[in-house]
Amino acid sequence: MATEPTFDAQTDDLMSDDLGTLHRKALTILKRIRDGALDPETGAKKGPTFPISKAAALVGRTASAIREAERDGRLPERGRTGSGHRVHYSLEELDQMREVFGTRPWRAATDTPAIISISNFKGGVAKTTLALHAAQHFAIRGYRVLLVDCDSQASTTMMFGYRPDVDLGEDDTLYGHFHNPELLGVRKIIRKTHFHGLDLIPANLKLYNLEYEIAGYLAQNQSFDIIDMIAQAIEEVVDDYDVVIMDPPPALGMVSMAVLQAANAMVIPMPPSVIDFASTVSFIDMARTTMAQLERLGGRAKPAYNFIKIVASRVDDSKSMHREILSMMRQVFGGSMINSVLRTSAEIDNASSRMKTVFELDRPVTSHEVHTRSVRLLTEVCQDIEAEVLRTWESRAGGDRR
C-alpha cells in the first residue's frame, strides 16, 4: 500500500529556501536582460528614430517639404552624423513637424476616444504582442495613447524597462488606485514612456489580489458597482488621449470583466489551431453570458462596443491545419475579422527576448528580409485596427489610414 508523503516544518523550510534561491537567480537574469535593453549613456530605454524618408511618410508631407521647413526656420536645422548623414528624427520631433504642417491625427473634441480591450482568456495567443505593437503603432503615427496593463504577470510593463515586482510598489498600479482612489488619483500612476505620446499604467504581481478583493467586495456589499473601477479610472483621464489600449489577464476573472465593462471596443486574437480556436469560442460565449448576468442581476446596461474584431494571430502558413482553419474562420466570421493576419515570426520572439518590440529594433535581429516582413505584417494588422477606430470618429468618417 502506497504511503502518502509527509511534510514537516523542515521540509517546508527547504522548499521555501529552494524557491527563494530560484527567485533570486531569476531576478538576476531579468536584470541582465533589462540592462541590455537600456541605453548605456542614459540608463533608460530609447525610443525609435526615423530617416527623413520614413519621417516624411509618417508626418504626411514630402522629404522636400521637411528640408524646406528646416531652411526657412519653421523647423530646426538638422545636424549630421560623423559620416555626413542626416541625423534621424525622434517621435517628439515628428510631432513638432505635425504641428508645423498641421497634420496631427488627433481626434476632434467631439469624437469619442477609442478604449480597446485586447482580450482572450487563453495565454499564448499573442494578446500582449498585439497590445504592445498596436499602442506603439498609434504613438508612431502621432496619436495620444494610454496603455493600461491589467495583467498581474506584467509582461507589458516589463517591455517598458521595468522589473515589475522590484521597481514598482502596490501604489504604482491599479491595485493602489482601487484602495486609495481619492488619495492617489489615477493620474499619479500614469507614467511617461520612452515612446513619445505613449503613456503607461503599469502592473505587477500585487494586481492579482484584486481578483479576490473584488469578489469579496461583491459578496459583502451585494453591489456590482465595483466592476466599474477600471472604467471610472479611465474616465478621469480619457479626454487627454485619442486611444486607450488595455491588456487584461488571460482569464475571464473579475479584473477581465472590469476591463470589458470599461472598453468601447474589443479585439480578440485567435490562433487558427483547433485548441486555441475552441478556447476562444468558449471565451466569447462566457463573456457574453457573464455580461448578460451582470445586466440581469446588477441592473446594469451592457457595454456598448463600437466594434468587436477578431485577429487571426500566430498564424504559420507552413502548417496545413492553420491554412484550413483560417479559411473556415474567414468564411464563418466574415466582416467580424480584420483582413490582415498576425503571422508567427522569429523577429518578434528575438525582439521580445531583448525586452523590445519589432517596432523598437534599430537593426534586424534575424535577417533584413525577415525583419522587413515582420514590420510590414504587424503594421498591416495595426492599420486595420486604426481604420476601425477612425470609422467611429465623426470628424474622420471615411476611414483615413495613415
Side-chain angles (χ1 to χ4, degrees), residues 282-329:
S282 298
F283 163 74
I284 294 171
D285 184 49
M286 287 182 65
R288 176 187 61 84
T289 302
T290 304
M291 285 190 284
Q293 289 175 337
L294 285 173
E295 181 185 16
R296 178 170 53 85
L297 297 175
R300 310 167 56 81
K302 286 187 292 187
Y305 291 110
N306 292 324
F307 62 86
I308 299 175
K309 291 290 179 178
I310 293 170
V311 177
S313 62
R314 300 190 63 82
V315 177
D316 187 344
D317 287 330
S318 68
K319 296 180 179 179
S320 60
M321 183 55 68
H322 276 212
R323 296 195 301 270
E324 292 176 20
I325 295 179
L326 179 58
S327 176
M328 287 189 287
M329 287 167 61

Side-chain angles (χ1 to χ4, degrees), residues 148-182:
V148 187
D149 193 354
C150 304
D151 185 353
S152 60
Q153 295 180 77
S155 299
T156 291
T157 298
M158 188 168 61
M159 294 296 281
F160 288 90
Y162 297 104
R163 294 169 298 165
D165 300 309
V166 176
D167 301 329
L168 302 170
E170 65 181 47
D171 287 344
D172 296 317
T173 73
L174 284 172
Y175 182 83
H177 178 72
F178 172 75
H179 283 280
N180 299 291
E182 294 83 10

